[in-house]
Amino acid sequence: MQSLFQILMLILDVVWFFILAHVIMSWLINFQVLNMRQQLVAQIWYGLNRVLEPIYGPIRRILPPMGGLDLTPLVVLLGIMALRIILINNAAAFY
């Protein structure tokens, strides 16, 4: 059961990394540091969007419009941190 706990923590860590990469990349694209006309940048961007949209979609439907400010990644990161806390506090159940 300990391996199940470690796998769940690893999945949460990977999702955390993908969200941070997506947020940083969106800032770099908006500030024109990265160019979407470059094939590698476009592929990474569309890949991250395809991976994260199933997570972001339901939350975007719940959140009210914020006038161009997308708080969805923040809500997801808070949810991941809450899940990590819950898993760590209940780690004894996995042993």
Side-chain angles (χ1 to χ4, degrees):
M1 289 300 279
Q2 183 180 7
S3 59
L4 178 63
F5 174 75
Q6 291 174 346
I7 290 170
L8 290 173
M9 295 300 281
L10 177 67
I11 290 171
L12 290 176
D13 288 341
V14 169
V15 172
W16 179 274
F17 173 74
F18 279 170
I19 291 170
L20 285 180
H22 187 254
V23 167
I24 292 170
M25 195 167 179
S26 71
W27 291 343
L28 293 175
I29 290 170
N30 284 331
F31 290 123
Q32 298 178 356
V33 175
L34 292 178
N35 188 354
M36 286 294 290
R37 291 187 201 107
Q38 294 175 345
Q39 186 177 4
L40 179 64
V41 172
Q43 286 179 348
I44 293 171
W45 178 249
Y46 293 129
L48 284 173
N49 280 335
R50 289 186 66 162
V51 167
L52 294 173
E53 189 55 37
I55 299 170
Y56 287 169
I59 296 171
R60 282 190 177 131
R61 286 191 288 273
I62 295 170
L63 290 177
M66 300 295 253
L69 183 63
D70 188 15
L71 296 178
T72 307
L74 177 65
V75 172
V76 174
L77 289 176
L78 289 173
I80 289 173
M81 285 307 296
L83 282 173
R84 287 181 59 85
I85 291 169
I86 291 169
L87 284 174
I88 290 170
N89 288 338
N90 296 312
F94 290 98
Y95 294 108

